[in-house]
Amino acid sequence: MSTAAISNVREVNFDGLVGPTHNYSGLAVGNVASMSHGGLVSNPKEGALQGLLKMKSLMDAGYAQGVLPPQQRPDIGALRDLGFKGSHREVLARAATEAPHLLRAVCSASSMWTANAGTITPSRDAWDSRVHFTPANLQSSFHRYLEPQTTGRVLRAIFHDEQYFAHHPVLPATPDFSDEGAANHTRLCGEHGEPGVHLFVYGRQSFGGERQPARFPARQTLEASQAVARQHGLTEAQTVFAQQHPDAIDAGVFHNDVIAVGNGPVLLYHEMAFLDEEGTLDELRAKMSTPLIPIRVPLDAVSMEDAVASYLFNSQLLSNPDGTMTLVVPSECQEREAVWRTLQGYLLAGNNPISDVIVKDVKQSMRNGGGPACLRLRVVLTDAECAALTGRVLLTDALYGDLTAWVNRHYRDRLAPDDLADPQLAEESLTALDELTQLLQIGSVYPFQLR
Ligand code: SUG
């Protein structure tokens, strides 16, 4: 392949905007941060601004940055489906008194973690040279099960041109096909424009299979990963399916991106990431057309507790034009001595492409178990595909300015779980989102806009 063909391809990280109802309700089972911070007062404005600042600093450093809108919350339609009747205000009031846990679920701002929005296959790897998308069904929790329909509409609105983009249906939302999207999918390749091998990591096998976690649920099934690969037309030679270590899930690693991150030929992973570590690496080596660069962090350097609390592996690993890579880590990594030591002494000083570290404060998201890598959906795009995007979704200084002003105009700086019953919050949220779709020029994507 010629250099020209490679250089017109880049990875765009589409970060999810933190929504106006961002709160701590402890909804996510198996997610230690979410479970331990339930009941705290959140600051949606700070969360959204932290996210925007991460996007802006990566854009300023020369990385292509996109943005995806949050979802309509509270999801009053979901409450109506569950039998709550009356006006908006009555539905909210009834849910607040009769089933506060349901109200909390329909207010979650969890769509900010766009690594779970879906799975993407770049056109370079697709049989029809189009970019393929499957929204994740997120069926393992009620608050996230509410996301895929709007996610599908948003992805179709932005990646609209059928010449370049192909959209697949959400997998059946049953435990057999439990799918959490790109958080369990890593594309390994040379440069981004070269052919890739797709590493799908699953927590359990639904039809058959032996090892399963004992304490926390496995959120991704082998059957879901296989179905996505099938939808996208990926062949056996392009795919590796590896089981996540069940003990890691039980220690709070609810997605593979909490314990491993890959970019280009580099796979940075913790010793406890895969059930069959050697078999996984061997298969990747056999299928990749470029040498794999595995960087293994042993358990005696970083304990599972440190890995989960610091989110060292939930970093973004980004390619630089000179062939080096930059690791974008959450500031919690600085707070754990063993993690910081490993980062400086082992990862940065080691014989590997990682040449520098950017530390980002995304604490509002981290308290719900979402680090820098959770907040972004990676989409590898050619120049032509970038030019075919609909809307104003690639970050520029002007868009950053507009979005920060929008957040400052509409967001609260304090939200306790009890505030979710406030009908005023619902109104504020819809007003903000309506304005956002105009600002991003993506048309009508929310249920309240489609009625
Ligand atoms: O699904 N937290 C999310 C965090 C997702 C992180 N994503 C990746 N690892 N890619 C989850 O567990 C907490 C929401 C709440 O409690 O309101 C939550 O859903």
Side-chain angles (χ1 to χ4, degrees), residues 282-424:
D282 285 349
E283 199 179 336
L284 284 171
R285 285 192 185 100
K287 292 183 174 174
M288 284 169 65
S289 50
T290 191
L292 174 73
I293 306 176
I295 309 176
R296 175 186 203 258
V297 176
L299 194 54
D300 57 17
V302 174
S303 68
M304 287 307 290
E305 197 203 325
D306 276 347
V308 170
S310 70
Y311 262 38
L312 167 64
F313 298 90
N314 199 259
S315 27
Q316 292 178 249
L317 190 52
L318 302 171
S319 296
N320 300 320
D322 63 359
T324 63
M325 293 188 193
T326 296
L327 197 64
V328 184
V329 303
S331 50
E332 281 73 3
C333 287
Q334 285 176 314
E335 291 157 20
R336 297 252 156 184
E337 209 219 314
V339 172
W340 197 241
R341 202 182 330 118
T342 302
L343 205 61
Q344 299 294 329
Y346 180 68
L347 297 182
L348 279 178
N351 181 22
N352 66 59
I354 305 175
S355 65
D356 67 327
V357 168
I358 296 179
V359 179
K360 291 277 55 144
D361 176 2
V362 286
K363 279 197 166 26
Q364 285 290 327
S365 164
M366 280 288 287
R367 288 191 198 113
N368 258 338
C374 301
L375 285 162
R376 61 94 170 91
L377 180 66
R378 310 160 97 174
V379 189
V380 171
L381 294 171
T382 64
D383 284 345
E385 290 157 359
C386 260
L389 296 178
T390 301
R392 200 174 158 229
V393 291
L394 294 179
L395 201 67
T396 58
D397 283 327
L399 181 57
Y400 173 74
D402 287 349
L403 289 171
T404 358
W406 171 80
V407 169
N408 282 320
R409 232 177 6 255
H410 293 286
Y411 280 48
R412 295 190 182 187
D413 58 11
R414 194 195 139 82
L415 205 54
D418 283 347
D419 298 332
L420 300 173
D422 179 1
Q424 187 59 35

Side-chain angles (χ1 to χ4, degrees), residues 23 25-28 31 34 108 110 113 115-116 143-144 183 219 254-255 257-258 314 368-370 374:
N23 71 94
S25 289
L27 298 174
N31 170 341
S34 164
S108 170
S110 54
W113 301 297
N116 304 118
H143 70 287
R144 303 220 63 181
R219 297 203 200 170
F254 54 96
H255 290 136
D257 72 2
V258 176
N314 199 259
N368 258 338
C374 301

Side-chain angles (χ1 to χ4, degrees), residues 203 210-216 243-253 272-275:
E210 287 160 18
R211 293 285 305 271
Q212 286 209 16
R215 187 171 168 224
F216 291 139
Q243 184 168 356
Q244 200 181 345
H245 204 301
D247 296 349
I249 296 178
D250 281 338
V253 180
M272 292 297 292
F274 308 109
L275 187 55

